[in-house]
Structures are given as structure tokens and as C-alpha cells.
Amino acid sequence: MQLKTAGLTPIDENGVTSEPAVTFRATLADLDGDQTKLQVELKEATQPFDSLNILESSFSSSQIATSTLKSGAYHWRARALDSKGITSVWQEFGTAGNTDFTIGRTIKVGVILA
């Protein structure tokens, strides 16, 4: 799930937010009952996934908050990592290969009618 900064308001797939931060959240479960953490690979939409620069939660959380993202389109994928070092397969958010969210600027325009 992708959420706005405070982690309460969802961002729809291919949605736009004016906030420069996004929170990623998942429900994780391990069949052996081991502790798990969330890993996210976040890339600009034009960049392919390469398993580098992975964001990671702690073992006590399944949420990752980013900050200071620049304007532009992004896509991401996630996986779980357990305390024994075993990972799940990567899973893209929403439809594979598309833009998951866009950081955009809000421009206030005033119109004066004469």
C-alpha cells in the first residue's frame, strides 16, 4: 500500500501527490513464525529495477517512510525478509510496468476577470 506522508491517506495507483514523501506499508507473515521486515525498491518510473538501494523497515515494523522525493513519476516493488535471511520474491505494486505514483507540484492560479 502506498500512502501520503502521515501514513493515513492512500495514494491510488497512478495517483498524484503534492507531498515530497510517501509511506509504504504491507502485511507480512512468515510460515515459521520468524520476525519479518519489509524491503522496498523505489525507482523513478523510467529506471528499471536492479535490486540496488533497497529501503528496509525494522523487524518490528512493516512500514517504510520516505522523505524529500523530487517531482516525477515512480514505481516500486516489495518483498519480505525474515530473521534467518530468507526473502520472498519481489512483487510489484499494482500493475507491473506502470507508474505507481507521481510527486507533483500544486500550482495555485488566480484569475482576474475584468
Side-chain angles (χ1 to χ4, degrees):
M1 173 180 285
Q2 55 189 24
L3 306 152
K4 290 187 177 183
T5 307
L8 300 173
T9 306
I11 302 170
D12 292 331
E13 185 175 7
N14 205 20
V16 177
T17 180
S18 61
E19 299 175 359
V22 172
T23 298
F24 303 99
R25 186 181 300 155
T27 301
L28 306 175
D30 186 89
L31 296 176
D32 300 334
D34 299 323
Q35 288 186 309
T36 57
K37 65 170 96 176
L38 176 64
Q39 291 186 321
V40 169
E41 183 176 0
L42 173 65
K43 299 288 186 193
E44 291 182 29
T46 57
Q47 296 178 334
F49 293 118
D50 57 10
S51 297
L52 298 175
N53 303 315
I54 305 300
L55 306 172
E56 193 170 87
S57 73
S58 65
F59 278 115
S60 61
S61 176
S62 58
Q63 178 172 301
I64 299 170
T66 65
S67 61
T68 63
L69 294 173
K70 65 182 184 177
S71 294
Y74 292 87
H75 65 147
W76 61 280
R77 63 183 185 167
R79 70 180 179 186
L81 170 69
D82 76 9
S83 56
K84 293 178 183 168
I86 299 170
T87 59
S88 66
V89 296
W90 285 109
Q91 185 174 355
E92 280 193 57
F93 176 76
T95 303
N98 74 342
T99 296
D100 292 323
F101 66 89
T102 300
I103 303 290
R105 295 182 299 154
T106 301
I107 300 172
K108 294 183 179 181
V109 178
V111 177
I112 300 173
L113 300 173

